[in-house]
Amino acid sequence: MKWFSIGNLLNKLRLPISTASNIESEKARTDIVPVVNSLDVNSYTFEIRPDIINLLYFTSGPLKNLSFEVNEPSAIDTTLPLSKAAPDKTDYYPRYSSLTSSQRFSYLKWLERLNAPVDLGYPFLTLYNMERRIATNSKVEEAVSIIKELRSNVDNPSFNYYSAVALTFASMRYQEPKYILDIDFNKVPIDLAILLSFQKTHKLSSNFLIQNYRKFGWKNKNYLKNYPDRFKSTFEDLLIKRFGHPYFPEPKTAKFDSFKNLTLSNYSLPDDIRIIKFPDFISDSSIAAQIFKIFSQTHSEIKNYLQKHPESRIKRPNKKTLTINVSTGYPMASESSIKRTRDELKMRENLTPSQRKSDLLLAATEFGENGVKNSILNYGYDVIGTVGIQGELDYKTGEWDKAEKELISCLQINPNYVTRLAIMYRKQRRYKDEINVLNYVIANWPLSPFNAYGGNTTDFVVRLTKAKEYLKKHKESDCSRGVNYVFLDYDADFLQQPLGIGSKNY
């Protein structure tokens, strides 16, 4: 366990600019770009703003400022052909040199406006570009400005996260809090949001804490939902009693057992530049423990108040009647929930799967251990395709028998589907089947070739323990009928190739 002065934490996390080889010489080369008002590529002229052109990387032509050896995915090779034909969607981890001629033309046209993209690969290519600028200390202010402009035009969870990471990286590395002033903490993971909040305001507001109550381990939302004003006022009163302020202040010291990685999306950057380790504020910190205690005290105080003042209790409305699928007899979710899953399914159907397995192997061979892991992860994502989401939709529409087969088929690749299966079995009173499927995942996921990042089964073990206790109390009503494990087919020979690269080199 390590103790840290939170006030000095950001300084401790700051990366030295010279950590990566050749970074300084790369900065010197790429800082010098002629001022031009348009970009000419293969007889086409693109009216790209000078401030953007000044930040781009080129591996050929009069604006060449980067060698091919740097392997920068966003670098523009002006010798490659362009086409005005309608482009297909880009693959995962786009690379300018690997785009089709029509994709390259479409990308360069998009750079003219940086507006809402028709292809998410385009803003990610630009983000790669700006991340290298930031990592090499080359035109950092300008790169940060472009990332902020992209964030205002691109509404996508993945891009929101990685662009926030890039701004946080810049803020931490160059000690500039202004870089993160515009980040919406609700659109980034909780650990990053805490880090940003401490860096920006030196505190966690009561609103922030209450909005993220589950992240701090608090699960009982009864009073929070039914008495929101009283909950907040009581919560803030307890903060004032404990800290002298209606917020959780940045502590002078805190202890941490584990850390997380903050990783830039540009996979070509050296790992010693691309990755920053920062404390796991939720899992192992005294910070989370203190916040949980305040939630618990708030709950107790409101409970005591309502016992003394029963007239203040709200009248509970009658529970909504469940909608039943008349064909199967199983309950259905709300219309809004079903619509969300249908929309998610349509989005997944519109994604272009990786057509060229060679691209995945290229990532594995060129971009180190992270490339190996990502290529395995992406292949699994393509194998599942729409099956997992279809399983969720069938569950919500009361087609539980179909949902069971679909969700089971995905377990070798994504064990998280076991949670939905366990819930479904519990509702069907198939208590032994719930234990069966949890045992299967706990035993087999650590050995799965798709478990590239070494994910554990801790949450499933916790659920298994509760399932066994539940079975003891309801053994007489158990209706289990066994679990039939039939899994999705995948190309085991192909999967062995990145696995072989990983075992050989890492």
Side-chain angles (χ1 to χ4, degrees):
M1 182 174 294
K2 296 183 180 180
W3 285 82
F4 286 91
S5 168
I6 299 298
N8 296 324
L9 178 61
L10 298 176
N11 262 338
K12 290 180 180 293
L13 294 175
R14 183 180 180 183
L15 291 175
I17 292 173
S18 59
T19 51
S21 59
N22 300 321
I23 287 293
E24 282 301 320
S25 59
E26 180 181 317
K27 173 186 182 299
R29 292 194 307 272
T30 58
D31 265 354
I32 304 172
V33 178
V35 177
V36 293
N37 296 314
S38 62
L39 180 63
D40 295 323
V41 181
N42 281 348
S43 74
Y44 292 102
T45 298
F46 299 92
E47 301 297 329
I48 302 173
R49 292 178 352 221
D51 62 314
I52 296 176
I53 294 178
N54 196 40
L55 291 169
L56 298 178
Y57 290 109
F58 298 90
T59 55
S60 60
L63 300 180
K64 179 179 178 180
N65 55 3
L66 203 64
S67 67
F68 283 104
E69 288 75 16
V70 175
N71 208 21
E72 166 56 43
S74 70
I76 296 171
D77 181 355
T78 58
T79 66
L80 295 175
L82 304 177
S83 169
K84 289 185 176 181
D88 295 326
K89 295 289 186 182
T90 56
D91 292 332
Y92 301 113
Y93 306 104
R95 167 178 289 274
Y96 182 86
S97 60
S98 298
L99 300 180
T100 64
S101 58
S102 56
Q103 287 171 338
R104 284 192 288 268
F105 180 86
S106 182
Y107 170 60
L108 294 174
K109 288 296 291 182
W110 176 79
L111 281 176
E112 292 181 337
R113 290 184 175 82
L114 293 189
N115 55 355
V118 295
D119 189 317
L120 192 59
Y122 301 160
F124 264 107
L125 272 175
T126 312
L127 182 61
Y128 296 161
N129 190 120
M130 302 309 151
E131 286 179 341
R132 179 169 288 277
R133 287 289 178 185
I134 292 169
T136 59
N137 194 22
S138 171
K139 299 182 173 67
V140 174
E141 292 277 347
E142 296 90 332
V144 166
S145 178
I146 294 299
I147 292 175
K148 289 186 175 183
E149 184 176 347
L150 288 172
R151 284 174 60 81
S152 68
N153 294 330
V154 181
D155 185 16
N156 173 270
S158 179
F159 189 82
N160 285 338
Y161 169 72
Y162 280 108
S163 58
V165 168
L167 294 177
T168 306
F169 180 96
S171 178
M172 291 172 63
R173 182 162 188 184
Y174 302 109
Q175 299 297 287
E176 283 289 356
K178 66 181 181 181
Y179 293 161
I180 60 170
L181 291 179
D182 303 326
I183 294 180
D184 182 352
F185 295 167
N186 294 317
K187 292 186 177 181
V188 296
I190 185 66
D191 286 292
L192 180 55
I194 293 173
L195 184 67
L196 290 170
S197 188
F198 280 152
Q199 186 177 7
K200 179 179 176 181
T201 66
H202 306 288
K203 66 183 181 184
L204 303 178
S205 70
S206 61
N207 284 336
F208 175 83
L209 296 173
I210 291 172
Q211 287 171 2
N212 294 283
Y213 69 95
R214 287 187 180 276
K215 303 295 185 180
F216 296 103
W218 187 251
K219 297 180 180 179
N220 193 330
K221 63 179 181 179
N222 179 20
Y223 297 147
L224 199 156
K225 178 181 178 181
N226 295 316
Y227 308 92
D229 293 338
R230 178 168 293 280
F231 193 97
K232 182 179 179 182
S233 62
T234 305
F235 191 83
E236 289 184 341
D237 286 344
L238 289 169
L239 286 170
I240 292 171
K241 288 179 183 178
R242 177 68 177 82
F243 302 109
H245 308 280
Y247 54 79
F248 187 93
E250 178 182 273
K252 293 181 180 179
T253 59
K255 55 184 177 180
F256 301 98
D257 289 319
S258 62
F259 292 77
K260 290 189 173 182
N261 289 340
L262 198 64
T263 307
L264 295 177
S265 63
N266 188 331
Y267 47 81
S268 70
L269 292 169
D271 282 351
D272 57 349
I273 283 291
R274 187 184 178 209
I275 300 173
I276 301 176
K277 291 187 179 295
F278 70 100
D280 184 345
F281 289 105
I282 296 298
S283 299
D284 299 302
S285 93
S286 58
I287 293 175
Q290 291 181 72
I291 293 171
F292 179 87
K293 185 176 180 180
I294 294 171
F295 274 108
S296 180
Q297 291 172 336
T298 302
H299 179 89
S300 297
E301 290 208 6
I302 295 177
K303 182 178 180 179
N304 292 335
Y305 175 84
L306 292 175
Q307 287 175 346
K308 295 177 181 178
H309 304 277
E311 70 280 2
S312 297
R313 291 184 178 274
I314 62 172
K315 293 183 179 180
R316 296 182 180 276
N318 294 328
K319 290 186 176 180
K320 293 176 62 177
T321 304
L322 286 176
T323 303
I324 302 297
N325 183 320
V326 294
S327 298
T328 65
Y330 291 122
M332 300 172 62
S334 65
E335 290 184 11
S336 60
S337 179
I338 292 173
K339 182 182 183 302
R340 284 195 298 271
T341 306
R342 287 193 196 280
D343 291 343
E344 186 180 357
L345 180 62
K346 288 179 182 178
M347 289 178 62
R348 184 66 184 92
E349 288 171 343
N350 290 332
L351 288 178
T352 302
S354 181
Q355 300 293 334
R356 295 171 293 176
K357 294 178 180 177
S358 59
D359 285 350
L360 297 176
L361 291 179
L362 183 67
T365 53
E366 286 194 14
F367 309 127
E369 185 176 10
N370 196 58
V372 171
K373 292 176 179 179
N374 274 314
S375 58
I376 295 170
L377 198 67
N378 287 334
Y379 179 57
Y381 188 68
D382 285 343
V383 171
I384 289 179
T386 61
V387 177
I389 302 175
Q390 183 64 56
E392 285 287 329
L393 181 60
D394 285 334
Y395 170 79
K396 291 184 177 183
T397 55
E399 298 287 345
W400 286 14
D401 292 338
K402 292 180 182 178
E404 180 180 8
K405 293 177 182 178
E406 290 156 345
L407 296 174
I408 286 175
S409 73
C410 300
L411 289 180
Q412 280 189 320
I413 302 171
N414 186 345
N416 292 314
Y417 290 111
V418 77
T419 301
R420 176 61 74 198
L421 284 164
I423 291 171
M424 187 165 64
Y425 289 156
R426 178 73 64 90
K427 290 181 178 180
Q428 292 175 300
R429 294 189 295 178
R430 295 169 60 183
Y431 309 132
K432 290 180 181 178
D433 289 345
E434 178 185 1
I435 292 172
N436 184 324
V437 75
L438 286 167
N439 272 324
Y440 176 85
V441 169
I442 291 168
N444 289 278
W445 176 240
L447 307 175
S448 171
F450 291 96
N451 189 5
Y453 285 91
N456 61 49
T457 57
T458 303
D459 290 343
F460 306 141
V461 172
V462 171
R463 188 174 189 97
L464 176 63
T465 302
K466 294 179 179 179
K468 288 179 177 179
E469 290 297 322
Y470 198 87
L471 175 63
K472 288 179 182 178
K473 298 177 182 179
H474 301 85
K475 186 175 293 186
E476 298 300 323
S477 60
D478 180 57
C479 299
S480 293
R481 54 178 185 257
V483 181
N484 185 25
Y485 294 103
V486 178
F487 303 111
L488 293 171
D489 292 328
Y490 64 88
D491 188 341
D493 292 337
F494 163 70
L495 191 59
Q496 284 303 315
Q497 295 179 58
L499 287 171
I501 293 169
S503 62
K504 179 179 179 181
N505 298 327
Y506 309 105

